[in-house]
Structure formats: structure tokens, C-alpha cells
């Protein structure tokens, strides 16, 4: 008998995992630079948290959740997204006021698997709670942009929009609903269903949106406070040099958003899976799940897609491969010294021939090969350079090459 990973899941193995590890390190680095400490919430939560938090009419909740009853009779759901869980944790902890958190881990949605769309996928996300100001929106967006840029996803576009709030959106949605009713016959079956349940989503539909010539736009119907907030977000993004495109058709797939909505789009990816990430402001989510009014903004990126956009595979993360002419025991001692000095070193533990060790080093495409000689010295070899050193001189020499 043989087993495979369940449909829509995959094993993360080298060499693909090299690019992941690099991206995860960059994520830790950027979130620390922006002052977002790590938070980790359970991978499963009460089903009702997502039904109430994410929205009972969203596709994520109605079609895509992995829900099960545990042995104690509780209805639990594998988290399809991170925001509801983080807000629950914030409320549970008794925290008040401004609060930041960054997370990274697996999420689950029952979707039709294809490149960039999986049933188990990995999100990197941040949430900034307790701050009403557009400064929080701009900071969060900048963080996502800087991370994606440094991760190598340069071919990307940031789309932003404001989708209003409880003061202005209901009247707009009603107007949109009436407009869509007038075009009912042109819409797909899904589109017609959305007229009743979530008319905004029709604007986001790749099938139906092109059929609509001049739908009313939310940005023409914002109340004064929402318009002002949106203007400030744009001014602040300009100030920190983040390029963006205003997209009045941008709406998000989860119900909790108010005001700012944004997406990072990967230019080289298929249209259906081109969102490297998305987020926005969600000022009412905390109340929806039983907490006090808590303005908030955040985003999540799909790491699977970020790695694809960044070009996929990376060379193995080693500074050097140690080839030993003295056997593996001596290599272990030399590697130990170098590793304690901060270098990333690997070597052969099986006592294979020097020729075989060189073959491994070349396959790994390491920038430096260190040959441990019979007399205990090290022959450091790079393309076009050769240097004889003592083991304890190697770290400084490697540093000098950077
Ligand atoms: P989302 O747009 O549903 O937002 O997901 C964010 C990102 O996760 C997507 O842009 C995509 O890159 C990735 N993603 C989603 N589903 C899949 C899938 N099936 N396979 C691969 N990647 C996927 C949220 O989840 C919100 N919680 C974001 C947020 C945080 N908003 C405020 N704070």
C-alpha cells in the first residue's frame, strides 16, 4: 500500500523549502523592524467564531470550511483565515488600546486545487488593533510592500480602495442592488445569487464584472469621514514612497471589512490566483464576536504564491561545504568550530571518497568549498580563488568575502 498527501496539500521538501525558509526569515525580520511581535493562535477554533467573524454568507464560510465535531460534541473548524482568531485572542487576553501581532502558519479552505490555490496553504499576516488613524493603514500596507519587495516579488501591483462603513455603505449597496437587478439577465447564476446575498462581490467577479458597463462605484458614495480617511491613507502612502493603483472595483471576499481594502497582485501569475495577499480595515469585527468597539487593520499574504512570484527555487542556504581528507570525525570537529562562529556548514558523515564529497559540494552549488587537509589546515576554494588557512581563520576570511 502507498499513500499520498491528501488532494490540495503537498509536502514541503528541499529544494522548494529553501525559498520558503528564506522568505520566513525575511518575514520575521520585517515584522520585527515594524514592531509586530509574534502571535500564534490555535489551528482550530469554534465554528461559530468564523460564522460570525468572517460572515455567514461568504464563500469561505458557506463552502470552504473544514468543520468537524470533536469527541466532546463541539463543532470546530480548521482556521480558514487568521484575523478572527487573532481578534478573539486579543479580546481574551484583556488587552486594550493599540496592539500589534504577526503570525505565520497553515490555513485550510476546501477549494478546487490548482497552481497557487491549495486546501492547505500558508499565510503570513499582521493585525494592528485599537488604532483608528489612517497612519495604521499606511504602516501595515508599507510593511506588506517592503516584505514582498525584499522577498523578490518585484513584479507586483498594490491595489487600494475604500468600501465605506455602516454610515455610507448600506445606501450604496442598495443602489448597486437596484442596478444589478436591471442587469439580472446578463449575469451568471452565481452573479444572480449574489444580488441577494452580497451584491458587492459581483463587482469582484471575473465573469460578471466585464458585463457591467457603468455600475455605481462605492468611492462615489463615501460619507465624509470615510472619504477623509481614504484621502489620508493615500497621502501617507505617497509620503513613504509606496506606489499604488486606485481600484474602485476592489472588494474583498470576507465580510468584516470597512473603509480601506487592498490587495498585492502578482503580475506574472494567472488571474484567478494572482493575489499575493490582501487585507484592509475591519473596525466592527471585534463587536461582531462579542467585544468592545476596536478599530483595526491588517493583511495576510499567501506564502505559496509569494514563493512562486519570487521565482521559486533558491540555492541551499549554506555558506560552505566542508570536504574532508581526514575522515568524518575530524570534519565534525572542524564544522563544530565553524558553526559556533556563525557559519552555515555541512559535510559528509559517511566517510565517502574526496571525489564524491566534491560532487556533493558542486550539486549543492555552495559559494565556497573548504577542504580539510591531512595537516589540519583548510584549503578554501571559490571560483577563481584558493587560500590556505587555519580552521580558526576561516570565519574572518569568509566575512571578508561578503
Ligand atoms: P484572503 O484574501 O482571504 O484574506 O487571503 C489572503 C491571501 O491568502 C490571499 O491573497 C492568497 O495569497 C492566500 N490564499 C488564500 N486562499 C488560498 C488558497 N486556497 N491557496 C493558496 N493561497 C491562498 C484573509 O485571509 C484575511 N484574513 C486577511 C486579513 C488580515 N485582513 C485583515 N487582516
Amino acid at each position: 500500500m502507498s499513500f499520498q498527501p491528501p488532494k490540495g496539500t503537498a509536502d514541503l521538501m528541499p529544494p522548494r523549502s529553501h525559498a520558503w525558509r528564506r522568505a520566513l526569515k525575511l518575514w520575521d525580520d520585517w515584522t520585527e523592524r515594524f514592531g509586530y511581535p509574534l502571535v500564534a493562535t490555535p489551528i482550530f477554533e469554534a465554528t461559530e467564531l468564523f460564522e460570525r467573524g468572517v460572515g455567514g454568507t461568504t464563500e469561505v464560510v458557506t463552502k470552504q470550511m473544514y468543520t468537524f465535531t470533536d469527541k466532546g460534541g463541539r463543532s470546530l473548524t480548521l482556521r480558514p483565515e487568521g484575523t478572527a482568531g487573532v481578534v478573539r485572542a486579543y479580546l481574551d487576553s484583556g488587552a486594550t488600546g493599540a496592539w500589534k501581532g504577526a503570525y505565520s502558519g497553515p490555513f485550510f479552505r476546501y477549494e478546487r486545487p490548482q497552481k497557487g490555490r491549495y486546501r492547505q496553504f500558508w499565510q503570513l499576516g499582521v493585525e494592528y488593533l485599537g488604532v483608528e488613524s489612517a497612519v495604521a493603514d499606511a504602516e501595515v500596507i508599507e510593511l506588506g510592500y517592503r516584505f514582498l519587495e525584499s522577498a523578490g516579488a518585484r513584479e507586483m501591483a498594490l491595489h487600494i480602495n475604500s468600501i465605506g462603513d455602516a454610515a455610507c455603505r448600506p445606501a450604496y449597496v442598495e443602489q448597486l442592488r437596484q442596478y444589478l437587478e436591471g442587469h439580472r439577465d446578463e449575469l451568471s447564476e452565481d452573479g444572480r445569487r449574489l444580488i441577494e446575498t452580497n451584491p458587492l462581490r459581483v463587482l469582484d467577479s471575473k465573469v460578471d464584472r466585464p458585463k457591467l458597463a457603468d455600475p455605481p462605484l462605492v468611492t462615489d458614495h463615501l460619507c465624509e469621514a470615510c472619504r477623509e480617511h481614504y484621502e489620508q491613507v493615500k497621502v501617507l502612502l505617497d509620503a513613504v514612497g509606496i506606489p499604488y493603483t486606485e481600484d474602485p472595483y476592489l472588494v474583498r471576499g470576507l465580510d468584516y471589512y470597512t473603509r480601506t481594502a487592498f490587495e498585492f497582485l502578482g503580475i506574472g501569475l494567472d488571474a484567478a490566483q494572482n493575489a499575493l495577499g490582501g487585507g484592509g480595515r475591519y473596525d466592527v469585527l471585534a463587536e461582531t464576536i462579542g467585544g468592545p468597539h476596536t478599530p483595526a487593520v491588517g493583511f495576510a499574504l499567501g506564502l505559496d504564491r509569494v514563493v512562486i512570484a519570487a521565482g521559486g527555487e533558491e540555492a541551499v542556504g549554506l555558506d560552505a561545504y566542508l570536504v574532508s581528507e581526514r575522515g568524518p570525525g575530524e570534519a565534525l570537529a572542524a564544522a563544530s568550530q565553524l558553526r559556533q562562529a556563525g557559519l552555515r556548514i555541512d559535510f559528509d558523515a559517511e566517510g565517502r571518497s574526496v571525489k564524491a564529497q566534491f560532487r556533493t559540494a558542486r550539486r549543492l552549488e555552495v559559494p565556497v568549498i573548504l577542504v580539510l587537509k591531512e595537516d589540519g589546515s583548510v584549503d578554501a576554494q571559490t571560483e577563481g580563488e584558493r587560500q590556505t588557512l587555519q580552521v580558526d581563520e576561516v570565519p574572518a576570511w569568509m566575512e571578508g568575502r561578503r
Side-chain angles (χ1 to χ4, degrees):
M1 203 194 318
S2 75
F3 294 101
Q4 267 119 42
K7 188 170 177 191
T9 71
D11 301 312
L12 175 64
M13 306 282 277
R16 208 163 68 90
S17 59
H18 302 323
W20 275 62
R21 187 180 250 182
R22 182 176 158 271
L24 286 169
K25 281 187 180 170
L26 282 171
W27 177 250
D28 284 344
D29 180 28
W30 279 106
T31 50
E32 283 183 355
R33 278 200 230 182
F34 276 66
Y36 289 74
L38 177 69
V39 293
T41 60
I43 284 188
F44 52 85
E45 297 266 7
T47 301
E48 208 185 337
L49 173 70
F50 301 115
E51 286 171 347
R52 285 170 56 178
V54 175
T57 62
T58 59
E59 285 219 329
V60 168
V61 169
T62 56
K63 296 188 183 162
Q64 298 176 346
M65 295 211 299
Y66 280 91
T67 297
F68 61 97
T69 307
D70 77 359
K71 292 190 199 307
R74 304 170 191 87
S75 179
L76 299 171
T77 293
L78 299 184
R79 58 184 189 184
E81 64 94 50
T83 311
V86 170
V87 175
R88 182 204 49 69
Y90 167 84
L91 296 173
D92 245 17
S93 75
T96 50
W99 181 97
K100 291 174 169 184
Y103 52 90
S104 157
F107 290 81
F108 308 86
R109 294 182 193 176
Y110 191 81
E111 300 209 63
R112 189 162 343 128
Q114 49 206 292
K115 189 176 179 189
R117 187 175 296 281
Y118 312 103
R119 292 183 175 170
Q120 176 174 330
F121 55 98
W122 195 284
Q123 277 191 350
L124 305 171
V126 296
E127 312 297 347
Y128 193 170
L129 305 177
V131 179
E132 184 109 52
S133 159
V135 174
D137 307 43
E139 184 192 89
V140 153
I141 294 173
E142 186 193 359
L143 167 56
Y145 191 91
R146 300 277 179 234
F147 164 75
L148 284 172
E149 208 178 31
S150 73
R154 280 176 220 288
E155 297 270 288
M156 65 155 159
L158 164 63
H159 283 207
I160 63 168
N161 193 19
S162 173
I163 56 169
D165 65 6
C168 51
R169 193 163 39 187
Y172 164 71
V173 169
E174 198 37 51
Q175 201 174 329
L176 179 64
R177 198 189 304 264
Q178 279 168 22
Y179 168 88
L180 293 172
E181 276 299 349
H183 292 75
R184 179 175 272 278
D185 295 346
E186 296 151 51
L187 298 179
S188 67
E189 199 182 314
D190 266 353
R192 287 201 290 272
R193 198 173 34 78
L194 284 170
I195 299 180
E196 276 79 50
T197 56
N198 197 346
L200 276 177
R201 292 294 292 169
V202 180
L203 295 184
D204 198 35
S205 154
K206 307 231 153 47
V207 181
D208 290 318
R209 161 68 199 100
K211 300 174 187 160
L212 306 170
D214 55 350
L217 296 178
V218 62
T219 33
D220 295 331
H221 295 80
L222 295 178
C223 59
E224 199 42 45
C226 286
R227 192 191 319 281
E228 177 60 18
H229 188 91
Y230 189 36
E231 288 309 314
Q232 278 176 14
V233 171
K234 289 185 278 178
V235 167
L236 291 163
L237 287 177
D238 289 339
V240 288
I242 300 295
Y244 55 84
T245 303
E246 286 185 69
D247 179 355
Y249 295 109
L250 173 65
V251 294
R252 304 265 305 130
L254 314 170
D255 270 357
Y256 47 63
Y257 292 106
T258 48
R259 297 192 170 173
T260 315
F262 58 92
E263 274 176 351
F264 299 102
L265 303 177
I267 290 167
L269 293 166
D270 280 357
Q273 281 77 242
N274 70 349
L276 300 177
R281 184 160 272 286
Y282 51 92
D283 293 342
V284 290
L285 173 56
E287 285 155 89
T288 319
I289 60 170
H293 177 71
T294 310
V297 59
F299 69 80
L301 305 170
L303 181 55
D304 306 79
R305 296 184 189 179
V306 171
V307 169
I308 295 172
E313 293 172 14
E314 291 264 323
V316 65
L318 288 175
D319 294 312
Y321 192 85
L322 187 66
V323 168
S324 178
E325 294 181 356
R326 305 181 74 190
E330 300 293 336
L332 175 71
S336 166
Q337 213 178 319
L338 299 174
R339 286 165 174 165
Q340 289 180 70
L343 295 176
R344 299 170 303 171
I345 303 291
D346 201 8
F347 66 94
D348 163 62
E350 294 175 289
R352 292 184 311 150
S353 70
V354 168
K355 203 168 148 196
Q357 294 179 56
F358 266 102
R359 261 203 310 276
T360 304
R362 277 193 289 269
R363 180 173 52 74
L364 292 172
E365 296 180 14
V366 284
V368 176
I369 298 177
L370 300 170
V371 186
L372 185 62
K373 312 293 282 184
E374 281 300 345
D375 65 2
S377 68
V378 168
D379 204 14
Q381 305 182 7
T382 64
E383 240 171 83
E385 199 187 343
R386 227 185 157 110
Q387 182 89 30
T388 301
L389 303 162
Q390 296 307 308
V391 175
D392 59 4
E393 294 170 338
V394 171
W397 179 82
M398 295 278 286
E399 187 56 38
R401 292 184 66 253
R402 278 180 208 271

